[in-house]
Amino acid sequence: LLSKSGGLAASLGVDFNEFFAAFGVLRDSGKSAEETGTALKNLFAQFQTKRDKLEDLGFELFRVGADGKEALLPLADILAQVEAKTIDTTEVTKVLGDSGIDFVNTLVPGYEKLVGSTAQLASTTDELQQKSDAINGSLAGQAELLSGSVQTAFVELGKTIGQFTGPTISFTTQLV
């Protein structure tokens, strides 16, 4: 379920770090991993399929990014809108359903935790990327990358040769 909800989130332009922060906030609220993955997948799907109805209720869900592609607003921004709205929650429940509104109601109180966790994950991701770049930029790192590429080439070559030698060996064995 994480792969399905993560894939849908990525297709909507949801930030990787924010997705996992939301997953963590929901898990910390006592929801199982399966419930959390399903809730996220359903909510992202509803944001996409019921966009017009949600926008009619006054929610802004999407924006055009610097790359010219439309993407879902950060979850923190959407939650801030939910918290600021004075509309009847029964209207939102009609659009999102019970599970969708439950998800939103779980995340709204965890808004600060979501924002903090997203920032912490982004910082950690940046640090890891910097370390990775430093290692890969060194001579030893380049040698390791080359070694990995050579190993991959040998594996692929073995697969290709195996396609031809397998039938030949089988045929020769049957002849003998």
Side-chain angles (χ1 to χ4, degrees), residues 40-143:
L40 285 169
K41 179 183 71 135
N42 291 341
L43 188 69
F44 291 133
Q46 289 170 343
F47 282 161
Q48 187 175 35
T49 60
K50 298 181 179 177
R51 174 184 182 172
D52 291 339
K53 290 179 182 179
L54 288 165
E55 288 176 350
D56 287 345
L57 291 173
F59 292 100
E60 180 184 354
L61 299 174
F62 291 85
R63 56 142 162 64
V64 176
D67 60 0
K69 294 181 181 177
E70 192 172 61
L72 190 67
L73 283 172
L75 288 174
D77 292 355
I78 294 171
L79 293 175
Q81 291 179 61
V82 170
E83 195 168 40
K85 294 292 177 198
T86 55
I87 60 172
D88 184 3
T89 56
T90 57
E91 290 300 315
V92 179
T93 303
K94 285 179 188 175
V95 175
L96 295 179
D98 289 333
S99 63
I101 200 68
D102 178 52
F103 166 82
V104 170
N105 287 336
T106 302
L107 276 181
V108 168
Y111 170 82
E112 289 180 14
K113 187 174 184 179
L114 174 67
V115 171
S117 296
T118 301
Q120 187 177 8
L121 284 169
S123 174
T124 302
T125 302
D126 289 345
E127 276 183 43
L128 290 172
Q129 185 63 51
Q130 289 170 357
K131 289 178 183 178
S132 174
D133 291 347
I135 289 169
N136 290 335
S138 70
L139 183 58
Q142 292 298 317

Side-chain angles (χ1 to χ4, degrees), residues 3-60:
S3 64
K4 291 179 183 174
S5 57
L8 179 57
S11 74
L12 293 173
V14 175
D15 178 72
F16 172 86
N17 297 311
E18 187 176 46
F19 171 80
F20 280 101
F23 194 88
V25 168
L26 287 170
R27 290 285 291 136
D28 288 350
S29 74
K31 298 193 181 305
S32 71
E34 186 174 342
E35 289 173 316
T36 298
T38 300
L40 285 169
K41 179 183 71 135
N42 291 341
L43 188 69
F44 291 133
Q46 289 170 343
F47 282 161
Q48 187 175 35
T49 60
K50 298 181 179 177
R51 174 184 182 172
D52 291 339
K53 290 179 182 179
L54 288 165
E55 288 176 350
D56 287 345
L57 291 173
F59 292 100
E60 180 184 354

Side-chain angles (χ1 to χ4, degrees), residues 164-176:
F164 297 107
T165 59
T168 304
I169 292 171
S170 295
F171 177 74
T172 307
T173 305
Q174 289 176 356
L175 286 178
V176 177

